[in-house]
Amino acid sequence: MYQIIVTRKLQGRGIFVTEDRNEPNMALTPTQGNSEERPVILGRKLAAKERRTLLETRNGLKGDFNDTECHISPTGKGEGTIEGPCMQCPVCFTHGGLRSGKKGNFGRAGIVLYDDAFSLGDSEIENLTLNSVDTKTYRTGQALTTETFIYGGTFLSVVTIKSDIPEVLNLILDSIVSTASYGARSRHYGRMRNEITLIIKSPRPLITSYELVGMIKSPQEIKQVSEELAKKRGAEIVSLPELERPEKIMRDANRNPEIQSWYAEVNKYLGNSQKK
């Protein structure tokens, strides 16, 4: 398996909340000799956004996938069969999904695991009052709400890939470096620059972001501390591959024999019940 240590640098303001709350997500974060409440970006939020990045590339290559698209399409309770993702592309192979077939529901657990991204403590928290502007008079109206933002800072996360396929590694690396915004209202906020700090290969997971962030005093130490920890635990350090264009990375993954073998297995289960 591979583990990718990712340094995520927030470029301006971000809104990192759960759906039913308006307060930023905070976590008790380990520091050297202590712990403190800091902003956190939940791993499931990172995974969802980076999966959507891959889906944009995949759906732009419909001709490579029998003119079909793949979408996250939740099915409501009592609505019958589960449409869900296509279960016939590299995105479903890596991130998993659920779909109805002739033999019942076919599910696959994701093989990409996302730790939460913990702050190194260099972010600011600010409250801003939001209001609207009259489009006729251009006067500022009455205040609508107060929003809490995270401003700037460095977040550290670990992404674990339960696969040794190089094409899968490239696919996930591409999704990380190609995703540029996270959180609520990401059209306007949450701009992020993701940097691949280290890639390691080992038979089992060796590093977590929770542990790693507690060993680091400043962003300048991330690479050194990560390499020292990886070597101490006997991991193989993998050089960052030179990534091709996203379309080629997706096509290379689609042609991989192991992924093609999985397609055949899924086809036997789903039969011709897939959406054409």
Side-chain angles (χ1 to χ4, degrees):
M1 68 169 55
Y2 294 102
Q3 287 195 288
I4 308 167
I5 298 171
V6 188
T7 302
R8 304 175 184 269
K9 297 183 178 180
L10 180 59
Q11 309 293 294
R13 296 182 176 89
I15 306 173
F16 308 116
V17 299
T18 49
E19 286 79 0
D20 58 347
R21 296 170 51 245
N22 199 33
E23 301 90 16
N25 289 321
M26 305 290 286
L28 195 61
T29 304
T31 61
Q32 291 194 335
N34 207 337
S35 59
E36 60 182 53
E37 285 281 330
R38 292 179 181 174
V40 65
I41 307 174
L42 301 180
R44 62 186 178 87
K45 299 288 188 179
L46 298 168
K49 193 62 187 288
E50 290 171 13
R51 178 177 189 155
R52 288 198 291 273
T53 295
L54 290 179
L55 285 176
E56 288 179 9
T57 301
R58 180 258 186 255
N59 291 336
L61 299 171
K62 290 197 300 183
D64 293 76
F65 298 97
N66 299 319
D67 290 324
T68 65
E69 291 190 354
C70 183
H71 296 283
I72 308 299
S73 305
T75 301
K77 188 175 181 180
E79 290 183 5
T81 60
I82 299 171
E83 293 293 338
C86 72
M87 303 303 284
Q88 289 280 278
C89 73
V91 187
C92 293
F93 181 86
T94 53
H95 286 272
L98 183 65
R99 189 179 181 89
S100 292
K102 285 185 174 180
K103 299 180 182 179
N105 296 331
F106 180 90
R108 175 179 173 83
I111 60 170
V112 186
L113 311 177
Y114 280 75
D115 287 3
D116 293 342
F118 291 96
S119 169
L120 290 187
D122 53 349
S123 298
E124 299 291 335
I125 298 178
E126 61 178 18
N127 295 305
L128 296 180
T129 300
L130 309 179
N131 50 32
S132 60
V133 176
D134 188 308
T135 56
K136 289 184 178 180
T137 65
Y138 293 96
R139 293 183 196 168
T140 301
Q142 194 172 19
L144 297 176
T145 184
T146 299
E147 190 79 77
T148 303
F149 293 89
I150 307 302
Y151 188 82
T154 309
F155 294 79
L156 190 64
S157 74
V158 175
V159 179
T160 301
I161 306 173
K162 297 166 65 177
S163 170
D164 291 332
I165 303 174
E167 290 86 353
V168 168
L169 172 63
N170 289 346
L171 193 73
I172 300 307
L173 288 172
D174 179 59
S175 74
I176 294 169
V177 299
S178 296
T179 305
S181 62
Y182 298 82
R185 296 195 287 286
S186 56
R187 285 193 304 162
H188 308 290
Y189 305 112
R191 297 289 184 270
M192 194 81 70
R193 189 174 74 248
N194 295 327
E195 299 174 358
I196 307 301
T197 299
L198 193 69
I199 305 170
I200 64 172
K201 189 176 182 181
S202 68
R204 59 189 62 86
L206 299 178
I207 297 175
T208 67
S209 59
Y210 181 86
E211 172 190 37
L212 192 56
V213 76
M215 302 170 65
I216 295 171
K217 294 179 181 178
S218 69
Q220 291 73 30
E221 294 182 352
I222 296 175
K223 187 172 180 62
Q224 178 185 343
V225 172
S226 299
E227 288 181 348
E228 289 174 354
L229 182 60
K231 290 175 182 176
K232 179 181 179 181
R233 295 184 176 172
E236 174 190 349
I237 295 178
V238 178
S239 298
L240 177 65
E242 186 175 342
L243 296 176
E244 303 277 358
R245 290 182 58 82
E247 294 82 6
K248 186 177 188 306
I249 292 172
M250 183 67 67
R251 285 180 169 131
D252 287 346
N254 188 46
R255 287 191 291 263
N256 178 270
E258 187 171 331
I259 295 178
Q260 286 287 330
S261 176
W262 178 70
Y263 293 164
E265 176 189 340
V266 175
N267 269 328
K268 289 178 183 177
Y269 196 94
L270 295 179
N272 57 12
S273 67
Q274 298 176 84
K275 189 163 54 179
K276 301 295 185 184

